[in-house]
Amino acid sequence: MIERPYFLMLWMVGILINGVWTRELMFVINTWPFTAATDAGFESLLQGGSSLDAVVAGCSQCETDQCDGTVGWGGSPDEDGHTTLDALVMEGGRQDTGAVIQLKSVREASKVARAVLEHTYHSVLVGENATNFALSLGFKSQPLSSQRSINIWEDWKKANCQPNYWKNMVNSTTKCGPYIPNLLTDDHHYRKSSINRRNHDTIGIITLDRHGKMAAGTTTNGMNHKIPGRSSDSALPGCGAFVDESVGGAVATGDGDIMMRFSPAFLAVELMRGGMSPKRAAEESITRISTKYPNSLSGAVIAANKDGKYGAACYGMDKFPYSVRDSQDSAKTRVVEVDCLS
């Protein structure tokens, strides 16, 4: 007959082996030192939320905080002075995706993107129809402009609409539009990017919950003075974010007009699938782009695998900071800074 204390000890060991008392692996990783967003996502996980819940919680926090003026309402006016929002969420099982592009009049872009995922068979909704979809589900109509965004636009107009995103047009480098094509030039050079954290950027988030489920997402208000109708890379699956929980996830940030051509988040995940570490996958993904645009690219990629390993790489900046909170030190969000490739 087994003695009671010995039996209890075996029972406790069994609990530990089965993970009831072990600390489940969880993490939230996001671009830039947007630590309030990291904390919001991780607190969602601690309260039993899913990886997708954590993505939306983190993105929503940044939308509310108007992180650096580049996320949420009240920033990055287009040429007409209007602020619009782009957002994406993706779950890591079947890559089910919801995204909105050029969302107007609704501030909760990441929640609308989740509604696209959960309430439609589509993946992306765009413009006025994305707005109508959100309003039909009860999202509140609110202005997206702020006094700050109005001031940015007015100052830009006073500066003869410089800089702007037109090329091969008459007077586009000296005056405001409308412009007409300059048939005597054919400029294929890409100018040095003016993109940085303060005038355009995205929060991209990768999450892992206690059940091993992963998700990823992004939200942004795009570029200052963009041509109306422009889509960011953030809301395009595989560009701004991609996740496959059998491997890992990745997010990208920076000059989206260049980066979207290379699907850097998708590439990073596929490189991890092939055996690369997250850091090497991020480096290779950003290098694929910088090789083509060595004098103009400004961007970064973060990659994380299903085992909790992560890394990042950047180009066109001195350093790139990103935020991490995981179950190894669940009480504290860390800001990690990487030196950029040259």
Side-chain angles (χ1 to χ4, degrees), residues 142-161:
Q142 295 176 284
L144 298 186
S145 294
S146 65
Q147 191 58 54
R148 175 181 177 273
S149 68
I150 293 169
N151 291 342
I152 290 172
W153 180 69
E154 289 179 344
D155 289 345
W156 178 74
K157 294 286 283 187
K158 291 175 183 175
N160 296 316
C161 304

Side-chain angles (χ1 to χ4, degrees), residues 182-198:
N182 186 344
L183 302 179
L184 300 179
T185 65
D186 188 16
D187 182 10
H188 291 290
H189 294 92
Y190 211 91
R191 67 186 178 192
K192 175 62 179 175
S193 175
S194 60
I195 299 304
N196 60 55
R197 175 183 155 193
R198 300 296 177 181

